[in-house]
Amino acid sequence: MSRLELDPTGERFGGLPIWGWKTAPDGLATRDQLRREGLRPACGQQVVGQIRWRSSKARHDGGIREAYLYRKAEAVPIGELTEARARGLEAAMRRRRTCRTCRTERPYYISTRLGECTTCADGLADAA
Ligand SMILES: [Zn+2]
């Protein structure tokens, strides 16, 4: 079994601190720990450290497992829409609310069966 090398100050391994199991500072969490709280690292979020611990599941890695740590305060809720995606959805909903005939955006979705707003549809119904 190899030595469990820890480096809480980050001096020896290129600046990334390495803590033992449950010795990492408060406010840091692994990806798994974030997920249990419904969070995930934000897009491009920096890894701020690592934890290492002995595990019988990691026999091929010398009995040592490691995981990256993220600042919990910077993590985002899982499933939160990115801004670009939210804008895209908004545009799609606007299109669905806009009548092809009178070009008016309605507070409701235009019926795909009618293909136009109820005002236009009623107008056609009146004319018939
Ligand atoms: Zn219309």
Side-chain angles (χ1 to χ4, degrees), residues 6-18:
L6 302 177
D7 182 17
T9 58
E11 278 164 11
R12 287 185 297 157
F13 296 104
L16 201 63
I18 302 172

Side-chain angles (χ1 to χ4, degrees), residues 104-118:
T104 306
E105 187 184 336
R106 300 294 176 183
Y108 52 85
Y109 288 140
I110 305 302
S111 153
T112 49
R113 190 175 54 82
L114 295 175
E116 53 189 3
C117 68
T118 52

Side-chain angles (χ1 to χ4, degrees), residues 99 101-102 106 117 120:
C99 172
T101 308
C102 66
R106 300 294 176 183
C117 68
C120 291

